[in-house]
Amino acid sequence: MRSVTSDHYFSAEPSAPARRRQITFDVAGRGYRLSTAAGVFSAERLDAGTAVLLRKATLPGPGTTGALLDLGCGYGAITAVLASRAPYATVYAVDVNTRALDLVRENATALEIADRVVAATPDEVPDGTRFAQIWSNPPIRVGKEELHGLLRRWLPRLEPDGTAWLVVARHLGADSLQAWLTAQGWPAQRHASQKGYRVLSVRNTGDASARLAENP
Ligand SMILES: C[S@@+](CC[C@H](N)C(=O)[O-])C[C@H]1O[C@@H](n2cnc3c(N)ncnc32)[C@H](O)[C@@H]1O
């Protein structure tokens, strides 16, 4: 786990006082009110990239079942939308920041979706869990090597024919990430582009998982 000598948004245990607040946003005609706190990514408002992702990607329909992953969930904006839209699915909200995970639990309780939301650190997710969809506004600022490691860790857990939806700012390397994913055997398409953000859809073709199994 990353050291927490300075308080980045990806600190495991932020040292700054929590300074709670409520934020509101709309997705697909529904309003959401969530609690956030200092020391958690984009605590003042729904992040612009996350807003583009939730506006442009194909949200799960009401009949969606199985497990969905919100990778790097923060206070749980994506989790709230996925679990509200897909009442038969379970959403794993995964982050290294324990304050963020506490907020996810609190927000899930307030939205009455807590029975279908699992807020967990990466190591707490059982190894065998596979995901029908992975959603992420990934932590680009951790650096390329760590970001690639994160994607190598979680993308192989997509179910066959599953889709991962990622949002990345163009100026933070969306196009090179798309090329890297495709070269790794994870065909990544530019699904949409808005306000300087790219929404990438990544399919599990099985090729990369097979390659990983051969050369872990
Ligand atoms: C760009 S933020 C997105 C947060 C949230 N999904 C949102 O849209 O507001 C990325 C998140 O990834 C988390 N993160 C950083 N490293 C991680 C890791 N190795 N595994 C899981 N999450 C991580 C950070 O703590 C942060 O909350």
Side-chain angles (χ1 to χ4, degrees), residues 23 25 41-56 75 77 137 167-169 171 193-199:
I23 61 145
F25 60 89
F41 176 77
S42 198
E44 291 78 33
R45 68 191 70 83
L46 181 67
D47 173 65
T50 304
V52 170
L53 177 68
L54 292 170
R55 191 179 308 127
K56 294 291 187 184
Y75 58 83
N137 177 351
V167 66
V168 180
H171 78 282
S193 200
Q194 191 176 53
K195 297 185 178 171
Y197 293 93
R198 307 281 206 225
V199 174

Side-chain angles (χ1 to χ4, degrees), residues 121-206:
T121 60
D123 290 344
E124 287 170 343
V125 178
D127 285 342
T129 312
R130 293 289 174 271
F131 302 101
Q133 299 176 10
I134 295 176
W135 288 69
S136 191
N137 177 351
I140 297 292
R141 292 180 195 274
V142 295
K144 197 187 269 190
E145 217 168 287
E146 206 164 321
L147 174 69
H148 289 176
L150 183 78
L151 294 169
R152 277 206 192 92
R153 175 174 185 173
W154 293 97
L155 287 178
R157 298 174 74 165
L158 260 184
E159 283 176 1
D161 299 325
T163 300
W165 295 100
L166 308 176
V167 66
V168 180
R170 193 164 53 89
H171 78 282
L172 293 179
D175 296 345
S176 64
L177 185 66
Q178 181 183 358
W180 177 81
L181 285 162
T182 302
Q184 297 295 306
W186 296 98
Q189 307 281 333
R190 189 192 303 166
H191 173 79
S193 200
Q194 191 176 53
K195 297 185 178 171
Y197 293 93
R198 307 281 206 225
V199 174
L200 304 180
S201 67
V202 185
R203 281 182 305 112
N204 182 7
T205 57

Side-chain angles (χ1 to χ4, degrees), residues 51-121:
V52 170
L53 177 68
L54 292 170
R55 191 179 308 127
K56 294 291 187 184
T58 307
L59 293 170
T64 305
T65 55
L68 312 179
L69 173 64
D70 176 0
L71 178 57
C73 59
Y75 58 83
I78 297 171
T79 291
V81 173
L82 297 181
S84 301
R85 303 255 324 171
Y88 300 109
T90 298
V91 181
Y92 284 75
V94 171
D95 208 293
V96 290
N97 180 328
T98 54
R99 183 177 291 173
L101 294 176
D102 287 343
L103 289 163
V104 170
R105 292 185 191 101
E106 184 182 325
N107 285 321
T109 300
L111 290 168
E112 301 185 344
I113 52 174
D115 55 331
R116 295 180 294 103
V117 170
V118 180
T121 60

